[in-house]
Amino acid sequence: MDHLSELYQAVILDHNRRPRNFGKLPEANRVATGDNPSCGDHFTVYLRLTDDRIEKVAFDGAGCAISKAAASLMTVSLMGKSVAEAENLFREFHHLVTTGEADEENLSDMAAFAGVSQFPARIKCATLAWHAALNAARGTGDKATTEEPV
Ligand code: ZN
């Protein structure tokens, strides 16, 4: 393991141990759940959406280290973003975890998930909270499940 992947590993471990924005969000006006039965990850994502902008985001639930760290980092990166910006960020993140390549600079700490591309089953873990968050942001309220096509 080279130095950079050790650093990335540390980012994931840190967010797994101390997830950011973990817990219910009383002022949320959008909520969606995500379920990844193949691993047992299940999360609820809470959004406070005002004029198409994500003012606050939080999550709770339980899952493996990858899913929890990805959800935690997602909440940090979505704070203050518009729904369109959130969709773009997810496209970049999805590209990263499926190919291992970051094609944009603004993924910052999320680049820690590049290694997920070597473990296809883990892609579902890494993207679960994103699916839930985008469902919540779109207002569809659908339950996100990794068992359906993206
Ligand atoms: Zn998982």
Side-chain angles (χ1 to χ4, degrees), residues 36 38-41 43 63-68 121-122 124-126 128:
N36 177 19
S38 63
C39 180
D41 314 317
F43 292 103
C64 66
I66 293 285
S67 65
K68 199 170 184 182
R122 292 296 188 163
K124 292 176 177 182
C125 302
L128 178 62

Side-chain angles (χ1 to χ4, degrees), residues 5-118:
S5 46
E6 277 175 29
L7 179 72
Y8 283 165
Q9 186 84 359
V11 169
I12 291 173
L13 288 177
D14 176 50
H15 277 268
N16 177 50
R17 276 199 211 105
R18 299 186 301 119
R20 317 302 196 269
N21 307 300
F22 189 77
K24 290 185 177 19
L25 188 67
E27 65 267 47
N29 53 8
R30 300 288 179 84
V31 178
T33 58
D35 199 15
N36 177 19
S38 63
C39 180
D41 314 317
H42 54 94
F43 292 103
T44 302
V45 176
Y46 306 88
L47 297 182
R48 174 75 203 179
L49 204 68
T50 305
D51 297 334
D52 199 45
R53 194 158 290 275
I54 298 167
E55 287 196 324
K56 283 192 175 170
V57 48
F59 78 104
D60 65 7
C64 66
I66 293 285
S67 65
K68 199 170 184 182
S72 172
L73 266 164
M74 177 195 77
T75 62
V76 173
S77 60
L78 287 186
M79 211 72 84
K81 297 283 196 300
S82 69
V83 173
E85 287 168 337
E87 303 261 10
N88 281 334
L89 260 182
F90 176 59
R91 259 193 296 276
E92 291 171 20
F93 183 70
H94 192 265
H95 181 77
L96 174 80
V97 296
T98 50
T99 66
E101 298 163 12
D103 58 354
E104 300 284 341
E105 292 298 315
N106 56 4
L107 285 174
S108 62
D109 275 358
M110 287 198 291
F113 288 88
V116 168
S117 61
Q118 292 161 39

